[in-house]
Amino acid sequence: MTKEPARQDFEEVRTGFDPDPSRSLSLRKEAYVDPAWYRTDLDAIVARSWQWVCHVEKLRQPGAYVTTRIAGRPIAVARGRDGELRAFYNVCKHRAHELLSGEGVTTRIMCPYHAWVYGLDGGLVRAPHTEGLKDFDPSSIRLESVSVDEFCGFVFVNLDPEARPMRERAGNLETEIRHWAPDIENLTFGRRLSYDIKSNWKNVVDNFLECYHCPTAHKDFCDLVDMDTYKVTTHGIYSSHMAEAGKGANTAYDVSNATVRTHAVWWIWPTTCFMRYPGRSSMIVLNIIPAGPDRTLETYDFFLETPEPNEMEVEAMRYLDEVLQREDIDIVESVQRGMATPAFTQGRIVNDPGGSGKSEHAVHHFHGLVLDAYAEAAA
């Protein structure tokens, strides 16, 4: 059984971190390799933050539902007949069987174990053969609700019963995204790429948040975007990463006919990334799913102007899948192996006060949020 971190562990894991990124060391390796910290990540971070579920197009119709897992816990989100969006633990109140599976449209939620039936508002409607029970009031039984929010055309859920609304937590993020992607709610699902990575989820986020490694590891990407224009800005629970498309030919994919010329990326605490690559109007959603101390699942969902990608988008997907992702997966898996050795404890944050892409200040910002969550868990 994994032992929970003791109070001194929470104090020790802060060692070397400084609020000034120009003075700070990175998060200590224990947070990446110790199963106890992975359990803390699930309970103190993933289960207490807004987690991406899907584009709102999947849940526009009354009766539409999707299922997912957050911190390993089954969740269902459904649009009621009254138009309200609700989320529940996808768990029957009778014997804890999972209720819905996959996604679709339904008029009711029926447990496949004993046929208890719930309305889309979560209330119990029918429980077979319970007429003879004493002190049994079906109207008092409801599915366990979960906070749900629609934000920038996407659906998020939060398992924390005291969660503040996404808009309240996100500051100016919605204004920023809608400025660069005003048609975001009208985009439609095009394709999904999925990956299973042998690395802790925080290594995956770290790697995403800096382009200090890009000139060495992503030479094609450095032609796709103009690295001289790459700027990274950190905010409360997000960071924005902006660059102009490269002006010449590149070896990633052809953007000569692109109508969108800005590479705009937003990381949203802790595991969601929105990406708008040069090309047509689109939005790529990267969902980072912690799956073990040294295992992470990723999905890349492409939302496009049309369900079928055009030739430029097909090439962009090929480049992301076969080149950029392969490079990044090799990096984070190598880092995870290195962290498992006695040769590494933590490293120096490389900070450019000017906020360029070749800087790790967004990694430092992420580490600060992780440590804040750890401190709250310790308290």
Side-chain angles (χ1 to χ4, degrees):
M1 183 175 179
T2 302
K3 184 181 178 182
E4 292 293 321
R7 182 170 294 276
Q8 64 265 27
D9 296 322
F10 284 99
E11 294 171 359
E12 288 175 6
V13 82
R14 296 192 69 89
T15 304
F17 181 84
D18 191 287
D20 181 354
S22 291
R23 296 179 182 275
S24 187
L25 294 175
S26 66
L27 198 59
R28 290 173 63 88
K29 76 169 188 179
E30 290 87 350
Y32 297 84
V33 301
D34 189 334
W37 286 113
Y38 171 69
R39 187 70 251 171
T40 301
D41 287 348
L42 293 186
D43 293 340
I45 296 178
V46 179
R48 297 178 65 82
S49 58
W50 286 102
Q51 295 288 311
W52 179 84
V53 176
C54 65
H55 192 281
V56 72
E57 71 172 349
K58 279 190 178 181
L59 292 167
R60 284 197 175 110
Q61 179 182 349
Y65 71 89
V66 299
T67 60
T68 188
R69 300 187 80 83
I70 305 297
R73 301 159 199 179
I75 303 297
V77 186
R79 180 79 66 182
R81 295 178 184 177
D82 58 359
E84 284 292 313
L85 196 61
R86 298 180 179 88
F88 315 96
Y89 280 95
N90 191 23
V91 175
C92 184
K93 300 297 283 188
H94 174 224
R95 289 288 183 82
H97 197 285
E98 291 187 15
L99 296 164
L100 295 167
S101 60
E103 58 189 61
V105 179
T106 187
T107 58
R108 60 181 185 171
I109 301 170
M110 187 173 78
C111 181
Y113 192 12
H114 297 101
W116 280 35
V117 177
Y118 302 86
L120 295 173
D121 63 354
L124 181 64
V125 175
R126 185 171 68 88
H129 311 298
T130 57
E131 296 82 5
L133 298 183
K134 296 178 181 178
D135 302 321
F136 179 74
D137 179 12
S139 67
S140 68
I141 298 174
R142 303 187 65 81
L143 298 180
E144 206 72 24
S145 64
V146 170
S147 297
V148 62
D149 209 347
E150 296 180 53
F151 182 80
C152 288
F154 293 96
V155 176
F156 288 77
V157 298
N158 194 324
L159 305 191
D160 182 359
E162 299 179 0
R164 290 158 53 196
M166 181 74 170
R167 282 175 181 80
E168 187 178 320
R169 290 280 284 136
N172 293 325
L173 177 60
E174 182 170 17
T175 300
E176 194 172 322
I177 291 175
R178 290 187 183 279
H179 170 77
W180 293 105
D183 59 346
I184 190 168
E185 288 181 89
N186 298 323
L187 298 175
T188 189
F189 176 75
R191 192 157 301 175
R192 167 173 282 192
L193 301 175
S194 300
Y195 305 93
D196 193 332
I197 304 170
K198 298 180 182 69
S199 180
N200 184 271
W201 72 277
K202 295 187 292 299
N203 268 330
V204 176
V205 175
D206 286 350
N207 182 66
F208 183 88
L209 288 177
E210 49 93 352
C211 221
Y212 182 40
H213 70 284
C214 291
T216 306
H218 301 314
K219 297 186 185 302
D220 302 304
F221 181 81
C222 290
D223 289 332
L224 175 65
V225 303
D226 181 353
M227 289 300 295
D228 290 337
T229 66
Y230 204 123
K231 292 292 181 183
V232 179
T233 310
T234 61
H235 307 269
I237 64 162
Y238 74 98
S239 56
S240 55
H241 308 244
M242 302 288 177
E244 294 303 313
K247 297 178 175 61
N250 72 81
T251 52
Y253 64 94
D254 182 14
V255 295
S256 57
N257 294 320
T259 54
V260 172
R261 301 290 303 174
T262 301
H263 171 75
V265 173
W266 297 269
W267 167 78
I268 307 168
W269 163 261
T271 53
T272 304
C273 307
F274 288 174
M275 299 179 280
R276 192 168 166 88
Y277 274 36
R280 280 198 305 176
S281 182
S282 66
M283 189 64 74
I284 309 167
V285 179
L286 164 57
N287 191 27
I288 298 168
I289 306 164
D294 56 0
R295 186 182 179 211
T296 301
L297 305 178
E298 281 186 340
T299 58
Y300 278 78
D301 283 358
F302 292 79
F303 297 93
L304 312 171
E305 292 182 15
T306 56
E308 287 300 317
N310 65 16
E311 184 177 347
M312 180 166 37
E313 289 161 345
V314 169
E315 278 301 297
M317 292 174 188
R318 180 206 58 76
Y319 163 68
L320 196 153
D321 184 35
E322 298 178 8
V323 180
L324 190 60
Q325 269 297 93
R326 188 66 264 158
E327 293 166 344
D328 276 332
I329 290 172
D330 287 347
I331 287 169
V332 297
E333 291 186 343
S334 176
V335 168
Q336 189 70 29
R337 292 191 298 270
M339 285 185 168
T341 72
F344 181 84
T345 302
Q346 61 192 143
R348 189 65 184 254
I349 293 291
V350 176
N351 180 51
D352 171 12
S356 78
K358 299 174 186 177
S359 173
E360 296 176 319
H361 59 286
V363 177
H364 176 266
H365 172 244
F366 168 54
H367 291 179
L369 292 173
V370 170
L371 291 172
D372 287 346
Y374 287 174
E376 189 173 338

